[in-house]
């Protein structure tokens, strides 16, 4: 899924991460549950360090399920 596809469907940010590894783990948890997601800024942390957070975004229709999965992880 691309960022443009998510934005056109009403994407929402369900989590923000300073550490790329945690962002990747969260994305994997959502994808394994069948939730399409996009990780915005996952590579920015490598360039800017703590000044940049990665944002995990999902379709608005999946927001509640995504938040439940992330809370349980």
């Amino acid at each position: 899924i691309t960022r443009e596809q998510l934005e056109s469907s009403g994407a929402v940010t369900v989590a923000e991460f300073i550490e790329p590894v945690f962002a990747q783990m969260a994305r994997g948890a959502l994808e394994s549950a069948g939730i399409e997601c996009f990780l915005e800024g996952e590579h920015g942390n490598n360039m800017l360090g703590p000044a940049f957070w990665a944002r995990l975004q999902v379709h608005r229709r999946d927001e509640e399920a995504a938040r439940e999965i992330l809370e349980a992880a």
Side-chain angles (χ1 to χ4, degrees), residues 36-48:
E36 293 181 326
C37 56
F38 179 80
L39 195 51
E40 181 179 48
E42 65 183 306
H43 300 293
N45 295 25
N46 295 334
M47 298 181 300
L48 301 174

Side-chain angles (χ1 to χ4, degrees), residues 14-67:
V14 293
E16 294 181 327
F17 303 90
I18 192 69
E19 293 292 335
V21 67
F22 296 128
Q24 292 289 336
M25 290 170 53
R27 179 170 67 180
L30 295 184
E31 288 177 343
S32 68
I35 296 177
E36 293 181 326
C37 56
F38 179 80
L39 195 51
E40 181 179 48
E42 65 183 306
H43 300 293
N45 295 25
N46 295 334
M47 298 181 300
L48 301 174
F52 196 82
W53 290 64
R55 299 183 326 159
L56 185 58
Q57 299 182 324
V58 300
H59 291 281
R60 185 171 306 282
R61 67 175 183 263
D62 295 325
E63 179 180 8
E64 185 177 342
R67 290 188 187 279

